[in-house]
Amino acid sequence: MAAGSSEPPAPRGTTRDHGTGGPALVPDDLPDGLVVADHRGRVVCFNRAAARICAVRAGDVLGLPLAKALPLEDLKGRRWWELTDPFGGLAIRAGQPERNLLLPGGREVLVSARYVREVPLGPVRQVVVSLRDTEARRRTERSHAELIATVAHELRSPLTSVKGFTATLLAKWDRFTDDQKRLMLETVDADAGRVTRLIAELLDISRIDSGRLEVRRQPVDLAAAVGRHVHALVAAGQPPERFLVRLHRPLPALWADPDKIDQILSNLLENAVRHGEGTVTIDVAPAPLKNDTEGTAVTVSDEGPGIPEESVNRVFTRFWRGSKRGGTGLGLYIVKGIVEAHGGTISVERARGGGARFRFTLPEAAPAYLA
């Protein structure tokens, strides 16, 4: 545009990107509800998300007074706009912090407001209101409540056992034979190990949820790692013929966190043994990935009843249990977090002969000091 000419005004409800010359910001593209009232208190913008949250048509409320277009009440039933009086009151107010308010019908929403003034302490030129549905927050709160309940339940049993056996041994040590003492101490040791594993799971969940799960990459022999876990299961009483390991060489070099790879394999193999039936087949093979990169794929299949189709989408969520055979339901959630922290992917489907088929891939990578 020639010098001295003025830029045409942006359409109502849009914001022009002056810095880059890019497209205008369209309120309907925003993920949260946006309501804007002008200096007269009339609604000039009511975006698609706000219309969805309030269950109204934007065209029906544009031009209405803010209090009528957005009739909010606080949790005590007081009318919000009368209570806050955005266009009156103290001129030092910049807005309202986010809080829970109620729409007609009792639907709860998260609302925050900004008072826009052309000059400090001047009259309010616009009121900009942000609306967010509380359903996501409610899901998070329910998830946290479920986690607390699960932890309390899982801790109660082993701690009760530890407390009971230790109190009994301290009070009546001389009355027990060495074999009885050993049995009780072995039980205490097993229950203490159960508590330790649960605490480790909780720490892993905390790191995964906050994006702080650290991966210390080292050279990992995935075939040897699989062999170790199969040998441990056989040593624990599983018949050797229950496992079939198939290695498809040559395998690409793998740099990963060996402890976390052990955690993945342990969880998937124990799940196959505990919840599956028949032969547990472990395939380790090279896997071409996106961008022409190399990776390694590990597939663990069993011949059990498999996972119901309606549950497939929930397998890697918290508290999902494939059966009633114990467990916290946190293991596969953690496995998915570990795989993704390595830049890999994990999936589950029905195996050819029935049963569950878990497959995870890990990309070829190098430690940070070689990157």
Side-chain angles (χ1 to χ4, degrees), residues 77-327:
R78 297 175 293 184
R79 294 183 179 179
W80 182 241
W81 299 116
E82 292 180 6
L83 191 65
T84 58
D85 189 15
F87 293 96
L90 295 175
I92 61 173
R93 296 180 306 163
Q96 295 292 333
E98 187 175 70
R99 65 194 65 204
N100 285 356
L101 296 176
L102 299 176
L103 289 167
R107 184 175 182 182
E108 198 169 319
V109 289
L110 293 168
V111 181
S112 60
R114 172 81 183 276
Y115 303 158
V116 181
R117 307 174 190 273
E118 291 185 352
V119 295
L121 306 182
V124 173
R125 181 171 58 86
Q126 280 187 332
V127 175
V128 181
V129 183
S130 173
L131 304 175
R132 288 199 297 143
D133 201 330
T134 61
E135 185 56 33
R137 178 173 291 189
R138 288 184 181 278
R139 285 196 298 267
T140 300
E141 290 173 351
R142 285 196 297 268
S143 179
H144 289 166
E146 290 175 359
L147 182 60
I148 292 171
T150 298
V151 170
H153 175 76
E154 293 293 328
L155 285 175
R156 182 182 301 147
S157 178
L159 289 178
T160 299
S161 172
V162 168
K163 177 64 177 175
F165 278 122
T166 53
T168 301
L169 286 170
L170 288 171
K172 303 176 181 180
W173 180 268
D174 295 333
R175 301 185 186 182
F176 296 109
T177 65
D178 288 345
D179 288 341
Q180 290 172 324
K181 293 174 184 175
R182 175 177 292 277
L183 176 61
M184 284 190 279
L185 288 173
E186 287 175 347
T187 303
V188 168
D189 181 67
D191 285 332
R194 181 176 164 189
V195 171
T196 301
R197 287 192 299 273
L198 178 59
I199 292 173
E201 286 183 342
L202 295 175
L203 290 174
D204 285 336
I205 286 176
S206 173
R207 295 184 184 111
I208 290 169
D209 288 348
S210 62
R212 294 185 294 106
L213 187 66
E214 295 183 2
V215 175
R216 296 181 173 88
R217 297 185 185 274
Q218 303 175 30
V220 173
D221 186 338
L222 202 49
V226 169
R228 286 198 310 273
H229 284 275
V230 170
H231 179 75
L233 289 168
V234 171
Q238 292 294 324
E241 59 273 15
R242 187 171 184 191
F243 300 96
L244 172 61
V245 179
R246 298 187 297 207
L247 304 177
H248 304 265
R249 299 183 185 276
L251 296 172
L254 177 64
W255 290 78
D257 189 316
D259 292 335
K260 290 180 171 54
I261 296 302
D262 282 339
Q263 198 171 348
I264 295 170
L265 293 173
S266 175
N267 194 290
L268 294 181
L269 290 175
E270 287 181 8
N271 272 356
V273 169
R274 181 186 303 157
H275 304 295
E277 298 171 2
T279 302
V280 176
T281 304
I282 306 103
D283 287 287
V284 184
L289 304 178
K290 295 180 180 178
N291 302 323
D292 297 325
T293 57
E294 286 291 324
T296 305
V298 178
T299 305
V300 179
S301 308
D302 64 70
E303 299 174 343
I307 298 169
E309 185 175 349
E310 64 273 12
S311 298
V312 169
N313 293 332
R314 298 189 291 113
V315 168
F316 297 107
T317 59
R318 292 183 186 181
F319 311 119
W320 183 84
R321 294 179 176 89
S323 71
K324 297 181 180 179
R325 302 180 190 177

Side-chain angles (χ1 to χ4, degrees), residues 12 28 44 158 195 217 255 326 328:
R12 185 177 66 177
D28 282 344
V44 296
V195 171
R217 297 185 185 274
W255 290 78
T328 61

Side-chain angles (χ1 to χ4, degrees), residues 10-15 25-30 32-52 54 56-70 81 87 112 125-131:
R12 185 177 66 177
T14 65
T15 302
L25 172 64
V26 180
D28 282 344
D29 292 340
L30 297 174
D32 294 335
L34 175 68
V35 179
V36 180
D38 63 13
H39 65 283
R40 300 174 302 157
R42 301 279 176 170
V43 173
V44 296
C45 175
F46 205 94
N47 76 345
R48 184 180 292 119
R52 174 182 54 79
C54 298
V56 299
R57 292 178 57 221
D60 293 340
V61 295
L62 286 174
L64 293 180
L66 182 58
K68 188 173 181 179
L70 196 61
W81 299 116
F87 293 96
S112 60
R125 181 171 58 86
Q126 280 187 332
V127 175
V128 181
V129 183
S130 173
L131 304 175

